[in-house]
Amino acid sequence: GAVGACPLGSLQSSLSGVILHFPFYVLGFLLLIGLLFGRLICGWACPFGLVQELLYKLPTPKIKLSPTVQRFTLLKYIITVLFVIVLPLAFYYYDSIGIPAFCKFICPVGTLEAALPLAAFRQDIRSALGSLFSWKLLLLLIVIIASSCIYRPFCRFICPLGALYSLFNRLSVYGIKVDMDKCIGCDK
């Protein structure tokens, strides 16, 4: 399902599989969206961003991250290179069939929006779930709990799609621009 619904799933499918294809179409789509909207797409079109926003509105203690912790936002770039590009290609060259490493091992979005609903309604899928699903469910629970205390932790520290779109943020035609002369620092 990620091939048609998630640009990141499409990219990984192109970099993994029996026949290695250069993902011209997917990279062109990501480039076009990035140049037009930058990370604006994350705030307005990402369903998991909405889930995190709603969780953050819960009346729980909020954690303000220190500048030292904010440096961990670089982690999403490492995850992007390693899990979206290097591991799918490495598995392809090792086994002649790649794997969509980020979707398979990390992505809590697929767990929440696909695996849980499918498992809830289909006994055959429930019976096939194993330790990998348990791992991803644990990651999802961590992100959900963190989302109630930290503003968009998945987006800030993990999301490869946000990392890719952020590269185009300054070049994007549309996007959120802050006029620092008019900004009063209200965080809205």
Side-chain angles (χ1 to χ4, degrees):
V3 173
C6 174
L8 196 59
S10 297
L11 178 62
Q12 288 185 96
S13 287
S14 298
L15 295 175
S16 60
V18 178
I19 300 171
L20 186 63
H21 295 286
F22 188 81
F24 289 109
Y25 175 75
V26 179
L27 286 176
F29 177 78
L30 289 171
L31 181 66
L32 176 66
I33 296 298
L35 286 172
L36 283 176
F37 302 108
R39 278 192 343 212
L40 180 76
I41 207 81
C42 299
W44 293 92
C46 177
F48 199 62
L50 173 65
V51 169
Q52 291 178 91
E53 293 262 351
L54 295 174
L55 288 168
Y56 190 72
K57 290 181 183 281
L58 293 174
T60 58
K62 306 304 179 201
I63 299 171
K64 184 108 170 137
L65 299 176
S66 70
T68 305
V69 174
Q70 288 182 5
R71 288 186 188 142
F72 282 102
T73 59
L74 297 176
L75 179 63
K76 68 183 165 201
Y77 298 101
I78 295 168
I79 289 172
T80 301
V81 170
L82 185 63
F83 282 88
V84 176
I85 299 168
V86 173
L87 285 177
L89 290 173
F91 272 90
Y92 177 80
Y93 285 111
Y94 180 74
D95 278 345
S96 297
I97 187 163
I99 59 166
F102 181 79
C103 293
K104 184 173 183 174
F105 299 120
I106 296 177
C107 186
V109 181
T111 306
L112 177 67
E113 297 173 4
L116 287 176
L118 284 172
F121 295 108
R122 300 217 12 220
Q123 173 58 35
D124 57 330
I125 291 179
R126 258 193 319 275
S127 63
L129 298 176
S131 58
L132 183 58
F133 176 77
S134 299
W135 162 250
K136 289 185 68 177
L137 188 60
L138 175 65
L139 288 177
L140 173 63
L141 290 173
I142 290 168
V143 170
I144 285 174
I145 292 167
S147 294
S148 68
C149 304
I150 302 169
Y151 184 73
R152 286 183 172 226
F154 175 76
C155 302
R156 294 171 94 178
F157 302 114
I158 300 171
C159 183
L161 198 53
L164 292 173
Y165 286 149
S166 73
L167 299 175
F168 300 103
N169 225 23
R170 295 180 194 261
L171 304 172
S172 64
V173 175
Y174 303 103
I176 298 172
K177 308 266 191 272
V178 177
D179 185 348
M180 295 311 288
D181 295 330
K182 295 179 182 175
C183 180
I184 59 170
C186 67
D187 287 333
K188 290 184 179 179

